[in-house]
Amino acid sequence: DARVTQTPRHKVTEMGQEVTMRCQPILGHNTVFWYRQTMMQGLELLAYFRNRAPLDDSGMPKDRFSAEMPDATLATLKIQPSEPRDSAVYFCASGSFHSFGGNTIYFGEGSWLTVV
Amino acid sequence: SQQGEEDPQALSIQEGENATMNCSYKTSINNLQWYRQNSGRGLVHLILIRSNEREKHSGRLRVTLDTSKKSSSLLITASRAADTASYFCARRSVSRNQFYFGTGTSLTVIP
């Protein structure tokens, strides 16, 4: 059963520490999304990649956040330094999008981050 | 928020009743999709409606789309306690292959 895998599932860290979240998209999917979910803002799109190339990261605070896809099986989201306001659930999602179609994206179970 | 909202924010109904949730958006869309999120879990795709469609059914789900009003609704008929979850609409924009979500509707179905 293909699924998006995220690690860690839960992370508690101190302010100022570096946090790295990892995502393994579904094999064969060419598009990867990073979302952040909070009660106040709902689901915010942070960044997304197509064929490992970053297409849009305008939703991401550039000074402390960075997103990469070192290879087709791994996407990373890094926060350095972390702040309490970064506490949220971070979701990775993947999908297969081509000129001829593709519409559904599949979510991982999320990384629950608490910065104290 | 990015591109629109769902309403109501919260909805509580008795088992067996119908639940209706609405979604509004601001820019042109390619399609609109509804997702469900159980507490502590990721989102799961429910149903998709294309911009040239007006209504779609899937089991107990009925989705409508009014592009002139830039709105959609999700109807869950004969609700069950297991339908308790948050429901989100995702707008896939025409200009960019992105999916925008809102804050969702939290549905509670009381047994």
Side-chain angles (χ1 to χ4, degrees), chain A residues 9 33 35 37 39-45 48 50 56 58-59 91 97 102-105 107-109 112, chain B residues 1-2 30-31 33 35 37 39-45 48 50 88 92 96-103:
Chain A
R9 286 297 316 277
F33 302 83
Y35 287 91
Q37 186 177 35
M39 288 293 292
M40 293 300 296
Q41 299 295 326
L43 271 160
E44 300 174 278
L45 177 64
Y48 82 105
R50 176 74 43 81
D56 190 346
S58 59
F91 286 102
F97 293 89
N103 287 295
T104 302
I105 57 175
F107 281 78
E109 293 295 293
W112 297 67
Chain B
S1 69
Q2 289 173 334
N30 182 297
N31 63 63
Q33 304 177 38
Y35 285 76
Q37 183 182 32
S39 181
R41 307 296 299 274
L43 281 75
V44 175
H45 181 261
L48 176 153
R50 301 182 191 281
F88 296 83
R92 183 180 175 187
R96 310 172 97 174
N97 284 323
Q98 297 175 358
F99 288 77
Y100 294 101
F101 294 81
T103 53

Side-chain angles (χ1 to χ4, degrees), chain A residues 15-80:
Chain A
M15 183 173 62
Q17 295 297 306
E18 177 179 300
V19 176
T20 298
M21 288 166 276
R22 294 176 173 81
C23 168
Q24 180 176 358
I26 292 174
L27 188 65
H29 282 184
N30 66 349
T31 305
V32 174
F33 302 83
W34 281 106
Y35 287 91
R36 175 170 64 185
Q37 186 177 35
T38 61
M39 288 293 292
M40 293 300 296
Q41 299 295 326
L43 271 160
E44 300 174 278
L45 177 64
L46 297 177
Y48 82 105
F49 296 77
R50 176 74 43 81
N51 297 321
R52 295 177 54 200
L55 288 192
D56 190 346
D57 61 1
S58 59
M60 202 164 65
K62 299 292 191 301
D63 56 338
R64 300 182 299 106
F65 284 61
S66 61
E68 295 179 347
M69 276 201 77
D71 60 63
T73 65
L74 177 64
T76 63
L77 179 66
K78 187 176 295 185
I79 307 174
Q80 168 63 20

